Amino acid sequence: MSLADQKMDTMPVGIPNYFLGVDTDGLPVLASPSATTLDVSNYASFALASAAAVSAGKSLVIPPGNHVIAASVTMNVRCEFAAGAYLTIASGQTVTFSKSVYAPMEHIFRGAGSVAFAVGYQEFGYPEWWGADHATSDCLAAFEASQAAVPVTLCQAATYYLSSTLVWDTPNRQLHGVGREWAAEGDATRLLVLSATANCLQIGPTTEPATINDFPQGIVVKNLACWRSTAPTPPASGTAGPTGVKVQYVLGAMIEHVSAPQHSNGWWVDGVVNTDINYCTAFRSIVGSTGVNDYWIGMKIGDVADIGAAGHNASLYIKRFNAAIGGAPALTESQGMLISTLFADTFIEDSETTSCRTGFAVIGNATTDYGNADLRIINPVSDSFTYYGVFIQGVSTEGSVFVTGGYSAPAAVSTALAGIRVDTSGGLIDLSFHEVPCGPNAVSYDCIGLYLSDTDGVTARGLHVIDSNRPVALLNTNKNFSLEVGINNTNETAAIAAVYQGGTASNGYIRPMVKGKAGAFPQGVNLVSTGASEVTVDCSNIDPACITGGAANRLVENAVQITAKATAFGANLRLG
């Protein structure tokens, strides 16, 4: 046993200042209580007890029992609560502690009055000090009191019941739990809201402050599980449903290791500045309380807030977020991440979604606006998606979106439509080094690797599409595109060309690497279009051995083989 352990084992409960040092054998030397402390019950008032302790250079001991505080008082000495001791503070009165407080994890502050601590003497407190328990009592008031009194509120590995949303909005206040993964009592800190419609935890004020600089700064929340006691009741329409963690109107916040299971929105982040959300999760395995609009979004980013910046958020950083569906809840819609409307200055890194209809959805505002600029999604993983892995739509003409690395793997279902789809979008969209493995089962082979429709400004570089029945498809009207995609069908025989372009295309560059088993593709590039203009196709990396009909079918336009190298065909050009 260490010396510190000996000290704590030997000292009287709740009186930690008896330790004076160690003797020659390394054992603790303890002072008697009377040598270091005064008993507050020996004085007519707390004020007199405090003055006496200051004069004697001792601490105050508050013995077991109810100590009524009828008038505000400042305690200018260290105070030590014995087990069973508590203060009942009258309404409108305040007990101010100018030195540290030592107390067991009990309900030591009661009554309608308040508690304050001098700066630099009490860095933490427990909601249990204000009456939080782990039965079924409402702990909301206890958290609010702790938030008001101490810089750091420390929670236990237990459940805290909340009658409504816990709002954490005081600048430079921290809320710390003990882990985010709750399966049984004692596993982690669980906040449990007793409602089908209320949000569980709100980080930031309800009303938007006047300016960004008025947003509360320095809030830290970590190591929590945010649950609800009953299935969520979704709204009749829209996605403003009951949320696990809502983050809004904060500046420089840090949120880490927080989970949000069984809500309509796991998270909703809207109106934040220079904020980090790291190693957090959302999960859904149950159906909602109604079958109407029973949607699920792991994390919704943006949507409505107008904070005077280019986007709904300004400098939002998200790292290692995980959103997953378990079991088979009959949801009307599910999206692992929804990045919505004005998403400028949003940076998402190493995040993963599992078993969602759409893994990552980026829905812009489709107008001439810089609110769709500067979105970075780095190493996204969309595992077992059932419709889209990554879906991008409505990016404005000044928009700028990067999706780099990661993979989108379809579930073994016939509804899986595309690993990446870009629809009705302008600006500049860069899709780089992403992988879409459509095998190894016969159902998911039918998933399109890359699907473009009505786009202007898409670049795909180093994209890998593996064993797809429809590797790359361009439909409707696409212009100003550059596609350098690797396509490899070692198992699947594709129904269409490795790169299929229908509709109209202009000012495009197509340079695929196409390989696979013999006869894997009917054509390398097939332009079945109502008009292609100034499209350059480089066939040099199309292996004729994997093309039915060989080299002659590397490039086909409207059923005509384009076999000559470095030649114009119509208003287009073949290279290689």
Side-chain angles (χ1 to χ4, degrees):
M1 180 182 291
S2 69
L3 179 60
D5 290 334
Q6 293 179 50
K7 168 189 168 184
M8 294 309 295
D9 279 357
T10 310
M11 284 189 294
V13 174
I15 315 293
N17 69 324
Y18 289 170
F19 181 71
L20 299 180
V22 296
D23 61 19
T24 55
D25 295 321
L27 297 174
V29 176
L30 306 177
S32 64
S34 61
T36 59
T37 62
L38 297 180
D39 188 329
V40 72
S41 62
N42 292 328
Y43 297 87
S45 69
F46 269 61
L48 291 174
S50 175
V54 170
S55 177
K58 297 182 179 183
S59 300
L60 274 180
V61 172
I62 302 172
N66 179 17
H67 303 269
V68 176
I69 306 296
S72 294
V73 63
T74 297
M75 307 303 292
N76 292 313
V77 294
R78 185 171 68 173
C79 293
E80 302 164 357
F81 284 74
Y86 61 93
L87 309 183
T88 300
I89 308 169
S91 177
Q93 308 307 309
T94 301
V95 177
T96 302
F97 294 94
S98 295
K99 304 292 182 181
S100 298
V101 167
Y102 292 87
M105 203 173 303
E106 297 178 359
H107 191 181
I108 62 171
F109 299 127
R110 308 188 186 192
S114 60
V115 176
F117 296 95
V119 174
Y121 282 94
Q122 193 68 35
E123 70 274 19
F124 68 89
Y126 305 98
E128 286 79 3
W129 283 358
W130 285 271
D133 64 23
H134 312 128
T136 58
S137 300
D138 182 14
C139 299
L140 193 61
F143 276 100
E144 292 170 347
S146 184
Q147 178 183 186
V150 292
V152 180
T153 295
L154 300 179
C155 302
Q156 307 308 302
T159 294
Y160 295 85
Y161 295 84
L162 306 173
S163 61
S164 188
T165 305
L166 172 58
V167 178
W168 203 262
D169 60 354
T170 303
N172 301 306
R173 288 298 196 250
Q174 301 191 21
L175 178 60
H176 294 193
V178 187
R180 72 180 189 192
E181 303 301 333
W182 188 96
E185 197 68 3
D187 287 346
T189 299
R190 182 172 68 149
L191 305 181
L192 184 69
V193 65
L194 304 173
S195 170
T197 56
N199 300 335
C200 182
L201 173 63
Q202 178 180 302
I203 303 172
T206 300
T207 302
E208 181 181 353
T211 70
I212 286 176
N213 287 333
D214 296 315
F215 288 10
Q217 301 185 37
I219 291 175
V220 175
V221 176
K222 60 184 181 179
N223 299 328
L224 299 171
C226 297
W227 286 65
R228 66 181 59 249
S229 63
T230 187
T233 299
S237 61
T239 59
T243 298
V245 183
K246 189 172 186 182
V247 190
Q248 60 184 25
Y249 310 134
V250 291
L251 172 59
M254 172 69 76
I255 305 162
E256 295 184 321
H257 297 282
V258 177
S259 66
Q262 313 299 8
H263 310 281
S264 292
N265 300 312
W267 294 70
W268 186 357
V269 184
D270 196 20
V272 308
V273 180
N274 191 28
T275 288
D276 291 83
I277 301 174
N278 299 326
Y279 306 100
C280 295
T281 67
F283 180 75
R284 181 77 180 265
S285 63
I286 63 174
V287 296
S289 63
T290 70
V292 178
N293 191 37
D294 191 11
Y295 75 93
W296 180 73
I297 300 172
M299 178 179 284
K300 181 165 69 166
I301 299 171
D303 197 19
V304 296
D306 181 2
I307 60 174
H312 296 304
N313 301 291
S315 297
L316 170 61
Y317 301 90
I318 299 169
K319 184 175 182 180
R320 295 291 297 273
F321 181 74
N322 182 280
I325 293 176
L331 302 172
T332 57
E333 177 63 270
S334 62
Q335 297 165 321
M337 268 193 167
L338 171 60
I339 304 142
S340 177
T341 315
L342 300 176
F343 45 71
D345 298 332
T346 298
F347 308 93
I348 301 166
E349 183 178 352
D350 298 336
S351 295
E352 180 172 357
T353 68
T354 303
S355 301
C356 301
R357 188 171 187 267
T358 299
F360 297 81
V362 178
I363 310 297
N365 66 338
T367 63
T368 305
D369 198 305
Y370 285 94
N372 286 168
D374 209 15
L375 171 63
R376 304 287 191 276
I377 306 176
I378 310 299
N379 293 328
V381 171
S382 182
D383 213 351
S384 299
F385 67 86
T386 60
Y387 198 56
Y388 294 128
V390 177
F391 178 57
I392 302 172
Q393 184 181 65
V395 176
S396 65
T397 55
E398 279 84 10
S400 176
V401 175
F402 288 82
V403 178
T404 305
Y407 69 84
S408 293
V413 294
S414 60
T415 57
L417 182 58
I420 301 179
R421 182 179 181 184
V422 184
D423 176 63
T424 319
S425 289
L428 295 171
I429 299 172
D430 189 291
L431 312 170
S432 303
F433 312 114
H434 195 77
E435 178 183 330
V436 183
C438 296
N441 61 78
V443 178
S444 60
Y445 281 146
D446 205 40
C447 179
I448 301 171
L450 174 63
Y451 178 9
L452 306 183
S453 56
D454 295 311
T455 68
D456 180 359
V458 173
T459 297
R461 301 172 297 160
L463 188 71
H464 290 179
V465 180
I466 303 168
D467 278 327
S468 171
N469 195 32
R470 301 176 292 172
V472 177
L474 293 81
L475 300 178
N476 300 336
T477 301
N478 296 281
K479 58 184 179 179
N480 298 317
F481 57 87
S482 177
L483 308 181
E484 297 182 71
V485 182
I487 301 167
N488 184 16
N489 274 25
T490 58
N491 298 294
E492 174 67 356
T493 300
I496 62 174
V499 179
Y500 178 91
Q501 183 259 310
T504 62
S506 60
N507 304 103
Y509 179 65
I510 301 173
R511 186 176 182 267
M513 174 183 284
V514 180
K515 58 179 289 190
K517 67 179 184 179
F521 306 96
Q523 304 92 17
V525 177
N526 189 9
L527 308 180
V528 183
S529 62
T530 57
S533 175
E534 299 191 32
V535 174
T536 298
V537 181
D538 188 337
C539 299
S540 57
N541 283 335
I542 299 176
D543 182 359
C546 69
I547 305 298
T548 300
N553 278 338
R554 278 176 161 177
L555 173 60
V556 176
E557 183 191 29
N558 292 325
V560 176
Q561 296 172 329
I562 311 298
T563 58
K565 300 179 181 180
T567 185
F569 58 102
N572 307 295
L573 177 66
R574 168 179 169 162
L575 299 175

